[in-house]
Amino acid sequence: MAESESRSIDIQDTFFLQDQSSKPYIVKFSTTMLSISLQNNDNQERSVLDNNTQLISIDDIYGCLCMKDNKDPIKCHLNIYLYSLRKPKGIIGTFSKKLTLQRSQLLLTYAKLNDYESNLAVVTRWHYYIANAIYLRRNLPLDIVTTKRDKRALVFVNPAGGAGKAYRLVMEYVIGVWSEAEFTYHIIITERAGHARDYVQSIQLADWSGIVLASGDGLIYEVINGLMNRDDWQEALKLPIGHLPCGSGNAFITNIVRYSQQPIMKTMEKFIVQAAVIIATYNVLPFDMAVVDICDGQRLFSFLCIEWAIVADVDCDSEQYRFLGEARFTVEAIKRVIQPRTYNGYIDYIPYDAADDTVNTNQITPNTTIAQLHRHLLPFNESIPTDSTVTKWRRINGPFAHVLITSKASISKDTIASTKSTLSDGYLTLQYIRADSSIRMNLAKTFTTMSDGKYLDYDFVEWMPIRAFRIVPSDTSGNMMIDGEKVSYGPIQGEILPSIGRCMGKPPKLDQVSINP
């Protein structure tokens, strides 16, 4: 540990490591680092290089617990729980240079004093310092620190999520992490569509530290719109939302992990552990939403995307293959590429301008109305002027094969729709493909390169950042989707709401380079 950092050491003592009861180690802890050094007979320190555990960043520690020894009535243990980049275990790790995020634990044994109570008091003090450092590292907003530190998170589990495996995934892979992190929660099993929406409309906001959704993206959409339907929606928006990936798309947590620049875990089991650790130690991050008006008179709120044409057809009609999980999108996409449909209509939009006057989160007060959230939307019975000499609005005429408007980079775990987007850019990204004689080839190229977003480099894919939009189909039937949920088919319009939501995430480390495309 550097000399400058040693002056900021909060606590220091001698421990034994697990299975090394004959070797005392000097353990030091500061607000940012845990240091372990082997103590020689002359009480001098010798650095421990085994398994690269000489220095452990506080960012890699998600919890610690005090435990009594099962055999020795005097000893007390401090079990420190880690989630960090490490080499794979076994023979693969021997030859691989790639690091992966893994859970591990460090067991420190304390037996310096003559009775258990005295040893426990010392270990409890260590627990306080480490747990407090983890909490302070989260840099939570003042309103959460002062009123919600001891509150539980409200967790909704969709039992149909993850091909019916959501509840099992939470029990097997999440509860243990949260116990180690001392993250408190209350679980509600949803019983029907709309259950979570109805529930959050009547909760006492002061009772909860945040809301966690164990589901796909549909439950997030449901809860956001439930919160926005409250009379005190301005306060409800301050509840941070966490996401445990238990569905087909899992776009929300994918975008959160992308923003942190952590590698996105491949399997559902590892992905849900990754999300559980993020939620247990979360920082509050802002995210953009969009206010959306649809043709039946409803005003809805989107956290992800608005879909029309083939992407909406794939999203909607793949529901019959939900049992396939994420593969359902691929099956339906192949069908739609073979027999593509042309969509007629037009798109009006306002190009993004950073200087444009848009509602900022800091401008929202208890007296702000929903109608005051947007600046550019007009009633559907009023046509939008598109003369560039008098208005910011522009028009694109169809026919179209593909239209997608996003506020995030990923619209599913395996689909990047806007490589430049993050959680809170302050704009929407409009992309479209015109219907022409090359429609099958163009759509095939698009769907085969969506995993990394490279399809956006094709000349036939046109895209731009926008502030607001209105889509007016000429057809009387088709699919229109908001965040993967089907809505009435017809004219639809929306506008960006920058940084209006809060989510449970992690900021990128300053010394960490991006490892996601």
Side-chain angles (χ1 to χ4, degrees):
M1 189 174 291
E3 182 180 350
S4 60
E5 190 171 355
S6 67
R7 289 195 291 266
S8 64
I9 291 173
D10 293 328
I11 192 168
Q12 173 178 331
D13 215 321
T14 304
F15 288 82
F16 294 96
L17 299 186
Q18 184 179 17
D19 300 327
Q20 297 188 41
S21 57
S22 62
K23 298 180 180 180
Y25 290 83
I26 296 176
V27 181
K28 302 176 182 179
F29 181 73
S30 71
T31 55
T32 60
M33 197 75 66
L34 185 74
S35 169
I36 303 173
S37 303
L38 181 63
Q39 179 178 289
N40 292 333
N41 294 332
D42 56 359
N43 286 331
Q44 296 295 312
E45 300 175 27
R46 189 175 73 201
S47 179
V48 180
L49 298 175
D50 305 68
N51 299 322
N52 297 319
T53 56
Q54 178 186 7
L55 296 176
I56 301 173
S57 170
I58 188 65
D59 292 327
D60 293 336
I61 302 174
Y62 67 85
C64 63
L65 294 174
C66 303
M67 296 182 177
K68 187 174 183 178
D69 191 86
N70 292 329
K71 298 178 180 179
D72 192 321
I74 293 178
K75 290 181 180 179
C76 190
H77 303 293
L78 181 67
N79 209 342
I80 298 174
Y81 301 99
L82 309 172
Y83 190 67
S84 56
L85 288 168
R86 303 164 63 91
K87 277 191 173 184
K89 297 178 181 178
I91 192 169
I92 296 177
T94 304
F95 299 99
S96 175
K97 295 182 179 180
K98 186 177 181 180
L99 301 178
T100 62
L101 284 167
Q102 300 177 46
R103 287 170 69 192
S104 59
Q105 55 184 307
L106 174 67
L107 187 67
L108 302 177
T109 301
Y110 194 82
K112 184 185 290 187
L113 304 176
N114 295 326
D115 59 273
Y116 172 76
E117 288 72 18
S118 299
N119 289 324
L120 176 62
V122 173
V123 172
T124 300
R125 184 164 172 258
W126 274 80
H127 170 272
Y128 168 80
Y129 274 100
I130 294 174
N132 195 54
I134 295 172
Y135 188 81
L136 293 176
R137 195 73 168 173
R138 293 163 64 184
N139 196 28
L140 295 174
L142 185 61
D143 61 290
I144 292 180
V145 173
T146 55
T147 64
K148 296 182 180 293
R149 180 162 186 172
D150 299 322
K151 304 298 183 181
R152 297 176 296 171
L154 179 60
V155 181
F156 290 100
V157 179
N158 176 9
K165 300 176 183 178
Y167 183 77
R168 179 185 65 81
L169 288 169
V170 171
M171 292 298 107
E172 289 188 16
Y173 297 100
V174 176
I175 299 306
V177 171
W178 286 355
S179 296
E180 293 164 353
E182 299 175 283
F183 181 79
T184 57
Y185 56 90
H186 174 69
I187 291 180
I188 299 289
I189 308 296
T190 58
E191 300 172 358
R192 53 180 169 80
H195 183 187
R197 179 201 294 257
D198 296 340
Y199 198 99
V200 299
Q201 288 185 54
S202 60
I203 62 173
Q204 293 295 319
L205 299 177
D207 292 343
W208 307 103
S209 63
I211 298 175
V212 177
L213 305 167
S215 64
D217 296 309
L219 201 58
I220 300 168
Y221 170 78
E222 185 178 309
V223 164
I224 285 175
N225 281 278
L227 294 174
M228 292 301 297
N229 203 40
R230 294 173 61 106
D231 292 336
D232 60 349
W233 61 268
Q234 307 92 335
E235 196 66 26
L237 280 178
K238 295 180 181 179
L239 279 180
I241 296 174
H243 184 199
L244 294 169
C246 296
S248 301
N250 302 316
F252 194 54
I253 183 61
T254 298
N255 285 293
I256 290 171
V257 175
R258 277 180 58 88
Y259 179 78
S260 75
Q261 297 185 358
Q262 292 183 11
I264 297 172
M265 297 292 98
K266 299 298 183 183
T267 68
M268 178 75 82
E269 293 78 8
K270 291 182 179 180
F271 195 23
I272 200 170
V273 167
Q274 182 177 29
V277 173
I278 288 174
I279 291 168
T281 60
Y282 72 87
N283 296 71
V284 172
L285 303 177
F287 69 92
D288 292 343
M289 298 194 324
V291 55
V292 183
D293 295 333
I294 61 176
C295 60
D296 64 5
Q298 290 189 77
R299 170 156 283 178
L300 301 169
F301 294 86
S302 164
F303 71 92
L304 185 61
C305 63
I306 294 88
E307 304 163 84
W308 184 39
I310 189 171
V311 67
D313 292 337
V314 170
D315 204 348
C316 180
D317 295 339
S318 66
E319 285 289 324
Q320 60 186 309
Y321 308 118
R322 182 168 284 276
F323 64 93
L324 295 175
E326 296 173 13
R328 70 185 177 101
F329 301 113
T330 303
V331 172
E332 188 62 31
I334 293 172
K335 291 171 56 179
R336 292 290 173 171
V337 169
I338 294 173
Q339 294 183 314
R341 175 181 172 180
T342 296
Y343 280 78
N344 296 296
Y346 63 85
I347 305 168
D348 291 339
Y349 69 96
I350 296 179
Y352 170 70
D353 181 349
D356 194 10
D357 181 24
T358 303
V359 171
N360 185 282
T361 309
N362 297 328
Q363 298 171 321
I364 295 177
T365 71
N367 297 321
T368 302
T369 65
I370 293 291
Q372 292 172 324
L373 287 179
H374 63 84
R375 294 285 189 266
H376 304 292
L377 303 185
L378 299 174
F380 280 125
N381 59 5
E382 294 185 25
S383 61
I384 293 176
T386 56
D387 183 348
S388 61
T389 63
V390 297
T391 180
K392 297 178 180 179
W393 287 93
R394 304 288 182 268
R395 176 166 294 180
I396 305 167
N397 290 304
F400 302 100
H402 162 79
V403 176
L404 178 65
I405 298 171
T406 65
S407 62
K408 307 289 183 295
S410 298
I411 59 170
S412 74
K413 184 183 179 185
D414 298 322
T415 303
I416 298 176
S418 178
T419 54
K420 298 182 182 301
S421 295
T422 61
L423 291 174
S424 53
D425 307 296
Y427 60 81
L428 299 167
T429 299
L430 164 65
Q431 61 178 262
Y432 58 94
I433 299 174
R434 298 179 185 274
D436 57 25
S437 59
S438 303
I439 183 172
R440 287 188 178 85
M441 180 61 69
N442 291 344
L443 291 177
K445 289 180 178 179
T446 297
F447 279 106
T448 54
T449 53
M450 274 189 161
S451 61
D452 55 12
K454 290 184 178 179
Y455 73 98
L456 295 168
D457 295 333
Y458 289 124
D459 292 339
F460 58 81
V461 180
E462 300 180 62
W463 63 273
M464 65 202 71
I466 63 171
R467 181 71 71 185
F469 69 91
R470 178 186 284 184
I471 297 174
V472 181
S474 300
D475 314 292
T476 57
S477 63
N479 293 312
M480 194 76 73
M481 310 285 283
I482 301 177
D483 297 350
E485 301 300 311
K486 187 173 183 178
V487 297
S488 298
Y489 190 75
I492 185 171
Q493 64 180 11
E495 183 175 332
I496 189 68
L497 301 176
S499 302
I500 197 172
R502 283 177 166 184
C503 67
M504 299 178 179
K506 304 295 287 185
K509 294 181 182 179
L510 294 178
D511 59 346
Q512 181 170 289
V513 296
S514 177
I515 43 184
N516 291 315

